[in-house]
Amino acid sequence: QDSLTFSTSAFFSYVLYFVFQLVTYAPFTLFPSPVPKTVFLQALALQTHYNTLVDKISQDPDFLQEALASTIAVDDFTAKLFRIHKQILKEGRSQSIVLGLNRSDYMLDQREDGSSSLKQIEINTIAASFGGLSSRTPDVHRHVLKVAGRLEESQRILDNNPAFGLTAALAKAWELYGSERAVVMFLVEETQRNIFDHRYIEHELWKRYDQFVLTVYLYDSLFSDGREVAVVYFRNGYMPQNYVSEQSWDARLLMERSRAVKCPDISTHLAGTKKVQQVLARPGVLEKFFPDQPQVVEQIRATFAGLYTLDLGAEGDKTVTMALAAPDRFVLKPQREGGGNNIYGSEICQVLEGVKDSTERTAYILMDKICPWPVQNYLLRRDAPLKISNCLSELGIFGAYVRHGKDMVMNECVGHLLRTKSSEHSDGGVAAGVAVLDNPLLV
Ligand code: ADP
Ligand code: MG
Ligand code: MG
């Protein structure tokens, strides 16, 4: 019986793997990677403040207008999102329930004394993924370590269940919406490269709230089987290619205008842009969002890397000169998501030489390059030979919040994600084919 089962599943694996090449395992490290405990706890402690910050920015149209003015003048994608945001402001928001599921990402910058300091890479306010898969990876490393005879380490792998918290927030928003027959809609791309990640969240919804929450997948139309939509969960819509035609933009506007709770709504989406991140790092800006909480300001600011404007003017000129003089110290970032869009090293000079005297340069921001201490590990992926690599890790922390009018009814840190890549790659991202899933081993 066993061997029959095995050969049947092996057969299907072969069919999928060799013939269609449709399904493969999510890539992961063979062993967990060390992360200093103090830095890990620091990142967890920050998350509810980052939730609050994103939520406050999303409610501050003047700030968004000022922060993004130069960007939307040259970046067509951000400009289109901004236009929807303006239209919603003009018409008035149709829903006072706000649902935020985000992930704040960090790398650990080398300090001379051998320690590390936590620096934010970015915050993802739309389609922040791997909350599902990272709920399963602890068991993978526990098993591997046991097999390798490293029992003590195996027991030190942290529990992690972002899916639980993300689902709780989705369900809370659905409940506040207050219509038993309404559904939660997952907005996904037609070819789903990371399907098991959001399926896991979906299954958690079914498992824990079965008689109430129905999940509907939307491919290319807004008609969800004639059912009322309580919550739209965007797992798509964060890059220009996701909007295949003007109709896709009309659909986004339609969703924003609807009474459904949007995760995220358009202003929360914009709050997650790299330009906003750069503006937040300017002196006095965080203070505006946390006027009576200097400790919170200090805690958040401690995680900011150097971020520099490329707006026209003396300050932007200084940024250009600085970047051209030492391109290896920086990362040049356009307003894009999903990995693989940033510019590094000598390419920074090429790009900046081309745009430095025009408004085109304001489509980018410049950021200090974070350099973690490398560690050795094996990266397991289908298409790469197995070899030991020098690796760099990126720690993500998941945040979930629900606001109803003025009341924050939920504001939580719901789990973590560790992604690790070979130090040969500048850019990252699991979906981009560079990073793989990992677990932190606190040291
Ligand atoms: P995206 O929204 O496309 O994920 P990120 O800002 O996260 O954009 O950049 C993608 C990847 O590039 C990150 O996962 C990280 O590996 C690398 N990266 C980004 N910013 C920096 C930085 N300041 N220092 C070092 N690496 C960076
Ligand atoms: Mg991102
Ligand atoms: Mg990223």
Side-chain angles (χ1 to χ4, degrees), residues 241-261:
Q241 306 89 288
N242 298 154
Y243 297 80
V244 290
S245 65
E246 275 309 306
Q247 271 171 321
S248 314
W249 285 105
D250 293 345
R252 179 79 194 255
L253 177 62
L254 187 62
M255 285 184 267
E256 292 301 326
R257 278 172 155 167
S258 80
R259 223 171 66 75
V261 181

Side-chain angles (χ1 to χ4, degrees), residues 315-328:
E315 214 187 327
D317 291 345
K318 217 174 106 190
T319 305
V320 172
T321 312
M322 190 172 76
L324 291 177
D328 289 333

Side-chain angles (χ1 to χ4, degrees), residues 103 105 121-126 238 272 274 336-339 419:
R103 200 188 68 223
D105 291 335
I121 295 297
E122 61 152 351
I123 189 158
N124 294 292
T125 60
I126 180 165
Y238 54 88
K274 272 104 188 160
R336 292 292 177 272
E337 297 293 330
R419 290 173 298 167

Side-chain angles (χ1 to χ4, degrees), residues 96-355:
S96 60
I97 304 162
V98 169
L99 166 63
L101 302 180
N102 63 51
R103 200 188 68 223
S104 180
D105 291 335
Y106 306 89
M107 283 167 91
L108 308 187
D109 208 22
Q110 293 181 3
R111 283 211 190 103
E112 276 168 18
D113 64 3
S115 67
S116 302
S117 77
L118 185 75
K119 293 293 171 197
Q120 189 184 49
I121 295 297
E122 61 152 351
I123 189 158
N124 294 292
T125 60
I126 180 165
S129 58
F130 298 111
L133 296 185
S134 63
S135 302
R136 302 293 298 149
T137 49
D139 275 346
V140 174
H141 278 152
R142 282 178 189 133
H143 175 72
V144 169
L145 289 168
K146 267 187 208 162
V147 171
R150 289 153 67 168
L151 206 60
E152 187 270 336
E153 267 175 73
S154 165
Q155 287 159 351
R156 277 168 50 211
I157 299 290
L158 301 170
D159 286 331
N160 192 31
N161 197 353
F164 189 89
L166 299 176
T167 312
L170 280 162
K172 187 76 200 167
W174 174 86
E175 182 194 315
L176 290 171
Y177 182 88
S179 169
E180 282 210 1
R181 292 171 52 81
V183 299
V184 173
M185 184 177 86
F186 283 47
L187 186 86
V188 298
E189 69 270 48
E190 212 165 311
T191 306
Q192 298 176 59
R193 295 192 54 217
N194 197 15
I195 184 168
F196 297 113
D197 186 50
H198 53 73
R199 283 280 186 193
Y200 193 86
I201 312 273
E202 180 195 342
H203 284 223
E204 281 288 309
L205 275 175
W206 278 96
K207 196 163 89 187
R208 289 164 52 207
Y209 308 92
D210 47 0
Q211 61 275 59
F212 302 114
V213 182
L214 276 178
T215 327
V216 173
Y217 280 78
L218 177 117
Y219 296 93
D220 51 7
S221 81
L222 239 193
F223 300 100
S224 298
D225 218 4
R227 279 189 272 243
E228 182 179 3
V229 175
V231 180
V232 182
Y233 178 30
F234 284 86
R235 295 291 301 233
N236 188 14
Y238 54 88
M239 40 178 156
Q241 306 89 288
N242 298 154
Y243 297 80
V244 290
S245 65
E246 275 309 306
Q247 271 171 321
S248 314
W249 285 105
D250 293 345
R252 179 79 194 255
L253 177 62
L254 187 62
M255 285 184 267
E256 292 301 326
R257 278 172 155 167
S258 80
R259 223 171 66 75
V261 181
K262 276 75 64 178
C263 178
D265 62 23
I266 191 80
S267 49
T268 307
H269 182 174
L270 288 168
T273 52
K274 272 104 188 160
K275 183 64 192 178
V276 164
Q277 183 186 8
Q278 178 256 304
V279 173
L280 283 174
R282 299 177 76 88
V285 177
L286 277 180
E287 280 81 354
K288 195 173 137 313
F289 289 107
F290 296 98
D292 310 318
Q293 292 168 285
Q295 304 94 322
V296 172
V297 169
E298 207 176 300
Q299 231 179 316
I300 294 178
R301 187 168 284 139
T303 64
F304 285 174
L307 287 148
Y308 312 94
T309 181
L310 279 159
D311 285 0
L312 292 188
E315 214 187 327
D317 291 345
K318 217 174 106 190
T319 305
V320 172
T321 312
M322 190 172 76
L324 291 177
D328 289 333
R329 284 185 42 217
F330 302 101
V331 183
L332 186 64
K333 297 191 172 188
Q335 310 304 309
R336 292 292 177 272
E337 297 293 330
N341 299 298
N342 298 332
I343 297 157
Y344 303 84
S346 57
E347 217 188 310
I348 292 183
C349 300
Q350 282 167 28
V351 172
L352 278 185
E353 287 294 351
V355 299

Side-chain angles (χ1 to χ4, degrees), residues 374-377 379 388-392 421-424:
V375 293
Q376 296 205 312
N377 210 331
L379 307 177
I388 198 155
S389 310
N390 275 328
C391 297
L392 309 178
K421 65 176 183 184
S422 159
S423 59
E424 289 161 21

